[in-house]
Amino acid sequence: MFDVIISGAGPSGSQCADVLAKAGFKVALIEKDTTWRKPCGGGLNHKVLDMYPRLRKLNLPKIRTIIMHSAEFHKLEYKAPKQSRGTIMDRLELDNYIRNMAIDTGAEIFDKNLSYDFITKNQTKIGIKTRSPSGTKEYYGKIMIIADGMSSKLAFKSGIRDKWKIEELANGKCAIMEGKHQLDEQSIYIYFKPFKGYAWIFPLDELHLNIGIYTFSEDNLNYNLNSLYEDFIKNPQIKQFLGNSDYKVCWSGAYPFPVNGIIEKSLVDDHIMLVGDTGGFVSPISGEGIQHAMLSGKIAAETAIYAFEEEDFSKNTLKKYKNHPQIKNQVRSFKLKSSLREFFYKDNGKLLNKIFKLAEKDPEFRSQVVDIFMSKKVPSNEFLSKIQ
């Protein structure tokens, strides 16, 4: 019998387990495969590094500059202040690093276990059923944290959320490639497209890079992701960075993830909380989810601790999680970013191209564009009048 069962040992689940284990709770951390690498660019902003300061001591790339391009390759460059600089880390290494910290703290890991249903007694969920190489297993606990991604079987079987619709998702494909490149190793490169989506190149070191592309919303159905990926890596604007190297693909993968924001009404139920991708904690513009996943895991853990203090695991108590000021703030932020996404991709990317073109010539306007992308600022009337 465990106090808390966490299904999914990615950033949200492992962060949740770490907080709970440190507080002395008995935690089961269930994972389908600890050797699986989530297809992801692996960008970490300074808030993730603040949460795990030991990451700063690793030999990771230091990202000083974000270079964004419109569909017609007009460029907008942003140099981050020292306190806001991030890094890049392979997702397999990152997930294992955070997971191992939770295990060292006291969480118990159960690998090669696929969660597929709840254990119910007297109409109350009291545990989780898994499939493993040795057969079906059962784990019992007072609270269950669902952190096993957008394809979670438990999230749907909980009854508090429907399955994602294709227009609520992004589809991404990326690869880690080996070969000599001409990229600035302290920069990341982002390429917006004439469809809803963007591509990226993240240099990992002088001989490796992470490269990928994604589509979202209705354009998941309008475009072939594999064709878009091939077109991107063969584009002359991209080839100038890649040079004539004969690149070796070290790893590649494709994946869907939610980009319509947090489903606030579907985060809690009796004995249950949803965190990370499972709860929609992914930025609707950038697709960045690591920071938001960790935040949701941390606050879910704090809510679970409160529930044990109250000896009440009902929805009424656990809604403290979704009502937390930081979660509320994230909900509002994602709603704003969803609106900005529609604004930026208006007219097949032509509007964003015009914005970047103006920013190249007008430093004051450029500053406004950076504020919109890098903060939660809404475009001003003056800004909108300039692009009319």
Side-chain angles (χ1 to χ4, degrees):
M1 179 72 177
F2 293 89
D3 296 315
V4 180
I5 307 168
I6 302 172
S7 179
S12 61
S14 294
Q15 167 67 5
C16 186
D18 189 36
V19 173
L20 286 165
K22 281 178 180 174
F25 291 92
K26 191 175 181 183
V27 181
L29 190 54
I30 298 171
E31 173 56 41
K32 63 182 178 182
D33 185 0
T34 57
T35 66
W36 181 73
R37 174 191 282 111
K38 180 179 180 180
C40 173
L44 305 180
N45 65 26
H46 69 282
K47 293 182 180 178
V48 175
L49 299 180
D50 291 343
M51 195 172 290
Y52 284 93
R54 279 197 280 175
L55 290 173
R56 297 183 189 274
K57 297 180 181 180
L58 302 180
N59 186 28
L60 299 172
K62 292 178 173 59
I63 303 305
R64 301 175 186 272
T65 307
I66 300 172
I67 302 173
M68 297 180 283
H69 302 79
S70 70
E72 294 182 13
F73 293 97
H74 289 284
K75 185 169 72 171
L76 178 66
E77 193 169 312
Y78 168 71
K79 293 188 181 298
K82 188 174 182 179
Q83 68 273 17
S84 299
R85 291 172 185 167
T87 188
I88 300 166
M89 189 172 184
D90 182 291
R91 272 303 298 269
L92 182 59
E93 294 179 14
L94 174 68
D95 288 8
N96 279 324
Y97 186 91
I98 299 172
R99 183 186 302 122
N100 288 338
M101 287 186 68
I103 295 168
D104 290 344
T105 304
E108 191 172 350
I109 184 73
F110 296 93
D111 193 15
K112 301 295 187 292
N113 273 256
L114 176 64
S115 301
Y116 72 93
D117 205 352
F118 292 99
I119 304 167
T120 304
K121 182 178 180 181
N122 298 328
Q123 299 184 322
T124 298
K125 293 177 177 63
I126 59 171
I128 290 174
K129 298 177 184 178
T130 72
R131 294 190 180 96
S132 73
S134 59
T136 300
K137 295 187 176 181
E138 295 184 344
Y139 300 88
Y140 294 85
K142 298 287 183 65
I143 294 178
M144 285 141 280
I145 310 290
I146 313 306
D148 47 11
M150 59 78 53
S151 59
S152 170
K153 296 179 183 299
L154 295 180
F156 176 64
K157 290 201 172 183
S158 71
I160 61 176
R161 179 170 73 65
D162 294 329
K163 292 182 179 179
W164 299 101
K165 299 175 183 176
I166 185 107
E167 59 269 22
E168 296 174 327
L169 301 173
N171 284 325
K173 178 175 180 177
C174 69
I176 295 175
M177 300 173 70
E178 179 181 327
K180 187 70 176 175
H181 58 74
Q182 308 300 319
L183 299 159
D184 176 5
E185 292 175 41
Q186 294 188 337
S187 298
I188 60 174
Y189 300 76
I190 296 171
Y191 298 84
F192 292 97
K193 294 303 189 179
F195 50 83
K196 288 184 176 179
Y198 75 80
W200 70 85
I201 308 176
F202 292 175
L204 303 175
D205 55 42
E206 62 180 9
L207 289 175
H208 296 87
L209 53 87
N210 184 306
I211 187 166
I213 192 167
Y214 81 81
T215 60
F216 54 78
S217 300
E218 65 272 15
D219 280 346
N220 292 330
L221 299 170
N222 296 331
Y223 293 88
N224 180 284
L225 187 62
N226 289 324
S227 297
L228 292 176
Y229 176 83
E230 292 299 323
D231 289 345
F232 177 65
I233 62 177
K234 292 176 182 177
N235 187 290
Q237 292 280 352
I238 306 306
K239 293 291 285 183
Q240 68 174 323
F241 292 122
L242 304 186
N244 297 317
S245 294
D246 184 16
Y247 277 85
K248 172 187 174 183
V249 177
C250 304
W251 166 88
S252 66
Y255 63 108
F257 56 91
V259 287
N260 260 29
I262 300 164
I263 308 175
E264 192 176 7
K265 65 180 181 180
S266 301
L267 291 179
V268 300
D269 201 359
D270 294 341
H271 301 269
I272 296 173
M273 288 181 276
L274 273 56
V275 299
D277 284 11
T278 315
F281 285 85
V282 182
S283 171
I285 291 181
S286 68
E288 197 279 321
I290 297 172
Q291 170 206 336
H292 312 304
M294 289 181 175
L295 175 68
S296 66
K298 175 178 177 290
I299 295 173
E302 292 168 349
T303 303
I305 293 170
Y306 171 77
F308 276 98
E309 291 171 350
E310 296 294 310
E311 297 184 351
D312 183 355
F313 311 105
S314 68
K315 179 179 180 180
N316 190 54
T317 297
L318 298 183
K319 71 181 181 182
K320 186 179 178 68
Y321 162 56
K322 74 170 187 175
N323 290 335
H324 191 282
Q326 287 181 278
I327 299 295
K328 287 286 189 181
N329 182 57
Q330 204 64 71
V331 170
R332 288 191 296 270
S333 174
F334 283 177
K335 285 180 180 178
L336 171 60
K337 288 180 178 179
S338 291
S339 299
L340 287 176
R341 183 179 69 192
E342 298 305 311
F343 172 72
F344 286 140
Y345 285 100
K346 190 176 179 181
D347 198 15
N348 295 321
K350 291 180 181 178
L351 179 61
L352 190 59
N353 187 70
K354 184 177 182 180
I355 290 172
F356 277 33
K357 191 174 181 180
L358 286 169
E360 286 179 331
K361 301 175 182 177
D362 184 340
E364 185 178 337
F365 182 76
R366 176 190 172 282
S367 179
Q368 293 181 57
V369 177
V370 168
D371 283 343
I372 292 169
F373 270 96
M374 300 301 165
S375 68
K376 299 171 185 176
K377 291 191 177 180
V378 178
S380 65
N381 290 333
E382 177 192 3
F383 177 92
L384 294 172
S385 67
K386 278 194 175 184
I387 63 175
Q388 293 304 319

